[in-house]
Each structure stands twice: as structure tokens, then as C-alpha cells.
């Protein structure tokens, strides 16, 4: 059902939600950016609608709630193991405000953690208590390429929000919230704005194959990339983690096990026993990450892992463009086709 609400009324709705839910949305963090005195927009808990930043893209994604940066799985002693309590502090879970591309990212996380052969218990117990409110996008930001990744629109939400005549139009699809919106707003018709064009465009070759791994295009990243891993941590669909045991005593028999984010772009990710490493060069790491986002994930799940949010381009300190690397693939594949047509010479 559709409702029209003023900004003040939206504050009252969010305040009512906050009694039962933890509410996460893009917020301004003063001087929280990577540079001195630099502000940043990232996800945080809010209690008022007025705290939500609507006119800027968040530099980091929502996934910190569904996949905590460091998550304790269980505690152990010499004699017993105790499962860690669920992170949600509210009985009904959480509400997350996010863009359409990020809601598509949730689908990618679900594929990995819920439908990828085994169901991840720790992810599921957080995920099943989360509701999503989509923020409409009237215009795309400079680095966005969601249209080409087919993530610019979504209708699988609990509610969606669009700016209208100084107020807001809400498309509510959660029956439990109808009474709340009816009390604070009035029924009305409207549309949620979704972008249909973006400043940044990408084109993935239709004949993309693993032959592209032999291309020389990856060599430039050996010198440019500094393997900081910021692209992975800002990405809403990166899902890799490692395990850490934290010991409370010297004998190593009392402590906790944590699941901690990992990055395929940093040193140590592919280290194996005996001092070996599968991908030492940064170009090799870039190749692995890119093809995972737009090739092998699609082979398995029939959609690209990348959702075109552009955050990786925004946070890279070396100005490496992921969208730019995608657009280089056509040239790389053309060279491969020419070599094959010449008999491999």
C-alpha cells in the first residue's frame, strides 16, 4: 500500500520502529574518513529518520550487520563449549535502509551463505530477523554502474521510500506496518524513483572465458595496486572470512573462536603450509577478484556477483577503477581471438 508522509511524520515512524528494532542506515561520521578532517558516510544505528543521509552514497555497505567484521562463534574451556549469543539486541531484529543495488547484494550473500550447498547457521540467525527499506535513487552517483549490472531496480522489499514534494512516498509491502503508516500518514499513489542511466558504463564480453587469464592486462596492477584490501571491505558482496582463536590463558585451553573478514587482495590470503602462496602478484589477485565478480559466480548462480555500486572505485587510494578493468576485457578477448585465428602464433 502507498502512503504519503512528511519528514516529521517519518521521524515518528522511525521512532516507533526503534522501540522494537535496531535500525541501520547511512549516517554521517564527522572526521571518520581516510584522510585528515575528512567526513564519511557509512552505516550506523539510528533512532530518528532525520539522522539518515539521503543525498550521499555510503562509502561502506550494510553488510557489517549481516556479516560482522569480527564475530564470536563460540567460547570454549577445557571442559565445555558455549555458543555465542545472537548479535541482535532487539527481540524482532533489525531494519536496514539501503539502495536497490545493495538489496541485490543481499541476494548474493544469501546465495553464498544459505543456498551454497550448506546453510550457514550464524548468518541465518541474523538474516531471518532483518527487514529492508529501499531508498529510491532519482539520480546515480559518478561511479555507479548499476544499470549495466541490472541491479538498479528492485521490488523484493518490506518498504520503499521516495522523495515527493518535500515529503515522502512510501510503498509498504509489510502488512504488519500498515497501521503504523496509516496513523502517521495518508494513503496515496506514487512511484519509487529508480535510475535508468548512470555516468559510468560497463560492457562485459559475451564470449568472456578463462582464456583472459593469460592476458597482459593484469600486469599493470602489479605496480599500481598496494594490496590494502579496501575494495574488498567496501564491497557489499565480498564474503570471504578467516578463523581466529583468541586464548584467555597461557595454556591455550580457554578462549573464543571468531570469524573475521578476509580479503583476497592482501598478503597472506592464499598462503599454504610450507611457505607457498598461490597468488603473490597483485595482478594475479586483481584477476582472481574480477573474474569471480563477473564470470565464475554467474556460471554458478546465473547472475553477476558485482552489483555496480562503485564503492571499490571510490575507496581505492591508487585510483584503480574496477569498472575500468571490466571495460578492458573486451580488448583482451579481442587479442586472444586474434591469436587463436593466427594459429596461436
Amino acid at each position: 500500500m502507498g502512503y504519503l508522509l512528511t519528514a516529521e511524520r517519518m521521524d515518528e515512524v522511525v521512532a516507533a520502529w526503534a522501540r522494537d528494532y535496531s535500525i541501520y542506515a547511512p549516517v554521517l561520521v564527522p572526521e571518520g574518513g581516510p584522510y585528515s578532517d575528512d567526513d564519511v558516510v557509512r552505516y550506523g544505528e539510528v533512532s530518528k529518520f532525520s539522522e539518515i543521509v539521503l543525498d550521499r552514497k555510503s562509502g561502506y555497505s550494510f553488510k557489517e550487520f549481516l556479516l560482522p567484521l569480527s564475530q564470536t562463534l563460540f567460547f570454549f574451556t577445557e571442559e565445555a563449549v558455549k555458543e555465542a549469543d545472537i548479535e541482535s539486541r532487539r527481540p524482532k531484529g533489525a531494519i536496514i535502509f539501503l539502495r536497490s543495488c545493495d538489496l541485490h547484494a543481499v541476494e548474493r550473500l544469501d546465495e553464498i551463505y544459505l543456498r551454497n550447498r550448506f546453510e550457514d547457521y550464524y548468518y541465518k540467525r541474523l538474516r531471518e530477523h532483518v527487514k529492508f527499506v529501499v531508498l529510491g535513487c532519482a539520480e546515480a552517483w559518478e561511479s555507479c554502474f548499476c544499470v549495466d549490472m541490472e541491479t538498479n531496480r528492485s521490488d523484493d522489499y518490506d518498504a520503499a521510500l521516495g522523495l515527493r514534494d518535500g515529503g515522502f512516498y512510501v510503498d509498504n509491502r509489510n502488512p504488519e506496518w500498515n497501521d503504523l503508516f496509516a496513523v502517521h500518514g495518508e494513503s496515496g499513489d506514487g512511484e519509487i524513483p529508480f535510475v535508468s542511466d548512470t555516468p559510468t558504463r560497463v560492457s562485459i564480453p559475451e564470449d568472456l572465458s578463462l582464456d583472459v587469464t593469460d592476458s597482459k592486462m593484469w600486469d599493470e596492477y602489479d605496480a599500481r595496486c598496494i594490496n590494502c584490501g579496501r575494495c574488498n571491505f567496501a564491497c557489499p558482496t565480498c564474503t570471504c572470512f578467516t578463523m581466529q582463536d583468541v586464548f584467555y590463558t597461557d595454556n591455550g585451553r580457554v578462549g573464543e573462536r571468531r570469524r573475521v573478514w578476509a580479503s583476497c587482495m592482501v598478503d597472506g590470503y592464499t598462503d599454504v603450509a610450507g611457505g607457498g602462496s598461490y597468488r603473490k602478484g597483485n595482478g594475479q589477485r586483481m584477476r582472481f577478484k574480477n573474474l569471480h565478480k563477473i564470470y565464475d559466480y554467474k556460471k554458478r548462480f546465473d547472475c553477476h556477483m558485482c552489483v555496480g555500486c562503485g564503492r571499490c572505485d571510490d575507496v581505492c587510494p591508487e585510483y584503480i577503477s574496477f569498472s575500468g578493468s571490466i571495460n578492458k576485457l573486451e580488448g583482451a578477448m579481442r587479442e586472444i581471438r586474434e591469436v587463436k585465428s593466427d594459429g596461436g602464433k
Side-chain angles (χ1 to χ4, degrees):
M1 297 182 64
Y3 298 92
L4 301 176
L5 291 87
T6 63
E8 292 76 13
R9 290 295 189 177
M10 279 302 305
D11 254 339
E12 295 172 3
V13 169
V14 171
W17 277 339
R19 291 194 289 267
D20 296 315
Y21 299 91
S22 295
I23 303 175
Y24 293 89
V27 298
L28 182 67
V29 182
E31 301 182 11
Y35 308 108
S36 177
D37 302 323
D38 183 32
D39 299 339
V40 68
V41 176
R42 65 182 307 160
Y43 271 76
E45 189 168 358
V46 302
S47 57
K48 296 180 180 179
F49 182 76
S50 55
E51 297 173 343
I52 302 175
V53 175
L54 300 174
D55 60 350
R56 291 174 60 181
K57 180 170 68 173
S58 61
Y60 295 87
S61 77
F62 65 92
K63 74 176 182 182
E64 292 181 56
F65 177 80
L66 292 178
L67 293 172
L69 181 62
S70 179
Q71 181 182 25
T72 299
L73 305 184
F74 58 83
F75 302 90
F76 58 87
T77 68
E78 295 183 65
E79 300 178 350
V81 174
K82 179 188 180 300
E83 179 183 314
D85 295 332
I86 190 169
E87 283 77 0
S88 175
R89 297 184 298 240
R90 306 296 173 87
K92 291 187 179 180
I95 296 173
I96 299 179
F97 284 78
L98 74 183
R99 304 287 176 177
S100 173
C101 59
D102 280 341
L103 188 56
H104 281 272
V106 175
E107 296 177 8
R108 275 56 168 179
L109 298 181
D110 288 349
E111 289 288 357
I112 293 296
Y113 282 97
L114 298 180
R115 297 186 286 272
N116 187 22
R117 294 183 63 189
F118 302 104
E119 193 174 74
D120 187 281
Y121 166 76
Y122 297 98
Y123 176 84
K124 181 182 178 181
R125 68 178 188 172
L126 287 176
R127 174 69 175 86
E128 63 187 4
H129 296 291
V130 177
K131 302 183 186 302
F132 298 101
V133 178
V134 168
L135 300 171
C137 293
E139 296 181 358
W141 283 276
E142 182 180 359
S143 60
C144 297
F145 53 101
C146 56
V147 173
D148 290 327
M149 303 309 293
E150 300 181 352
T151 62
N152 57 307
R153 303 184 64 89
S154 180
D155 57 8
D156 188 22
Y157 48 72
D158 291 279
L161 189 72
L163 184 65
R164 176 173 172 178
D165 300 328
F168 298 92
Y169 169 71
V170 177
D171 178 20
N172 179 50
R173 301 190 177 184
N174 186 338
E176 297 178 0
W177 294 346
N178 280 332
D179 291 343
L180 179 63
F181 283 117
V183 168
H184 295 284
E186 59 184 46
S187 298
D189 296 324
E191 292 185 359
I192 302 300
F194 292 114
V195 298
S196 57
D197 192 20
T198 58
T200 298
R201 302 299 304 271
V202 298
S203 178
I204 302 173
E206 293 185 3
D207 64 342
L208 181 63
S209 71
L210 291 181
D211 290 336
V212 79
T213 59
D214 296 326
S215 171
K216 298 297 184 182
M217 67 167 281
W218 309 109
D219 295 346
E220 70 170 278
Y221 302 109
D222 283 331
R224 294 183 62 194
C225 178
I226 59 174
N227 51 61
C228 65
R230 288 176 65 180
C231 54
N232 293 128
F233 296 134
C235 177
T237 66
C238 279
T239 58
C240 293
F241 60 85
T242 187
M243 291 294 186
Q244 293 182 356
D245 285 340
V246 179
F247 300 106
Y248 303 155
T249 59
D250 292 338
N251 66 8
R253 298 177 181 176
V254 179
E256 64 186 74
R257 174 161 295 180
R258 297 176 183 173
R259 177 158 70 183
V260 182
W261 285 5
S263 165
C264 62
M265 297 300 295
V266 303
D267 292 335
Y269 181 80
T270 60
D271 287 356
V272 295
S277 179
Y278 288 112
R279 291 184 291 274
K280 291 184 178 181
N282 293 334
Q284 295 174 329
R285 297 170 185 178
M286 188 73 172
R287 180 187 65 195
F288 171 80
K289 182 189 72 173
N290 284 24
L291 294 182
H292 182 47
K293 295 292 185 183
I294 62 169
Y295 179 77
D296 59 71
Y297 185 93
K298 190 175 190 303
K299 286 286 187 180
R300 183 163 187 173
F301 299 112
D302 200 32
C303 65
H304 292 297
M305 193 176 197
C306 175
V307 295
C309 71
R311 290 188 178 99
C312 50
D313 287 18
D314 298 334
V315 302
C316 180
E318 295 298 307
Y319 304 102
I320 294 173
S321 171
F322 178 73
S323 56
S325 68
I326 294 176
N327 287 329
K328 292 178 182 179
L329 292 173
E330 180 59 48
M333 288 301 300
R334 188 183 309 115
E335 292 177 0
I336 292 169
R337 289 193 293 269
E338 292 174 354
V339 169
K340 286 186 175 182
S341 65
D342 290 339
K345 297 180 181 179

